[in-house]
Amino acid sequence: MIPAPVRYARAADVHDALVLLAEPDARPLAGGQSLLPVMKLRIVRPSLVVDISRLDLRGVHIHNGELHLGALTTWDDLLRVEELRRPALSAITECAAAIGDLQVRNRGTVGGSIVHADPASDIPAVLLALRAAVKLRSPNGDRVIPLANFLVGPFTTALGAQELVTGIVLPIPEQGSGSAYVSLEHPASGFAVAGAAVLVGPSEERVIALTGLTGTAFVLPEGVDPARALESTEIFGDRFASTAYRRRLAVVLVERALERAARRAEEDR
Ligand code: FAD
């Protein structure tokens, strides 16, 4: 499929990108791994694509006990950061390694993934389990909102018009924590049929987040048995995996992720 005619502009900096995005049907282009396919299918028909891929929004750093991921950080970038190998953050690299193929991991970005908000995408569950928030910039200024509030529904977020995701921020879990991401990949796309991300804290407290089951990734209520919580969750089914199969799969993935995260937490004590 060939996309509809579209104009292209490369933004020089974030301010320039926001000015260009004032055009009503303009769209930012990061790695293009999700935007170009939907343009080719003509599901999305922007009048202007604003290339933000070279903006200074790429990289990982730790500051004041927080981990900051630039919006343009690619999956491959994440795999090269030594600090992300610590037990509490291992879910991030585990997830990045499972995404797509080499080309997708080289081009696809964290920011692009959360804005595209595919219900089967992997990283939202991991970032929810790690209590991440989204950093946004528009001509009105900067704002930071919890990822759980940013993800509104399938392919829908709280991103405003003329607004850019500049990054993700999350608190570094305390010493003695471990995280893990376990998914069943769809054999054709690699996206998650279901995926479970878990953070286990030093006193066994845990956060469990799931993807691939509902319109958007979500966190299971605290202190409730995961199997019981999933019984009352409205889970979708399709020709690849029925609702009943996905529900059972999710329970198994949660168990595996909990086991792995607890082992990592133990190693960190
Ligand atoms: P783009 O395609 O450039 O943009 C996506 C959307 O986000 C667009 O609407 C764009 O306007 C908007 N956008 C991008 N950046 C910003 C920003 N900073 N601020 C505001 N809006 C922005 N994903 C998985 O989770 N798991 C997989 O297994 C997986 N497999 C894949 C396999 C293939 C073959 C392909 C093509 C993709 C796959 N993906 C998978 C998707 C991949 O992870 C993409 O990287 C990601 O979904 C989008 O990132 P991108 O940088 O390419 O975004």
Side-chain angles (χ1 to χ4, degrees), residues 8 10 29 33 35 42 130 142 173 189 192 206 230 237 239:
Y8 168 93
R10 179 179 291 160
L29 172 76
Q33 299 303 299
L35 183 60
R42 304 202 178 195
L130 293 173
D142 289 345
S189 69
R206 55 203 211 176
L230 285 164
R239 64 200 165 99

Side-chain angles (χ1 to χ4, degrees), residues 27-28 30-35 75 100 104 108-109 112 115 121-122 165 189-191:
R27 282 277 186 133
Q33 299 303 299
S34 297
L35 183 60
W75 310 120
V104 173
T109 65
V115 174
S121 58
D122 293 280
V165 172
S189 69
F191 278 88

Side-chain angles (χ1 to χ4, degrees), residues 93-151:
T93 44
E94 207 156 35
C95 169
I99 288 177
D101 52 29
L102 200 62
Q103 278 118 324
V104 173
R105 291 195 293 277
N106 266 321
R107 297 292 307 168
T109 65
V110 176
S113 184
I114 61 160
V115 174
H116 187 62
D118 188 318
S121 58
D122 293 280
I123 200 74
V126 171
L127 296 177
L128 283 175
L130 293 173
R131 304 186 177 100
V134 184
K135 299 195 277 185
L136 298 153
R137 185 169 303 165
S138 75
N140 300 327
D142 289 345
R143 61 181 181 133
V144 180
I145 62 170
L147 178 62
N149 298 352
F150 182 76
L151 298 170

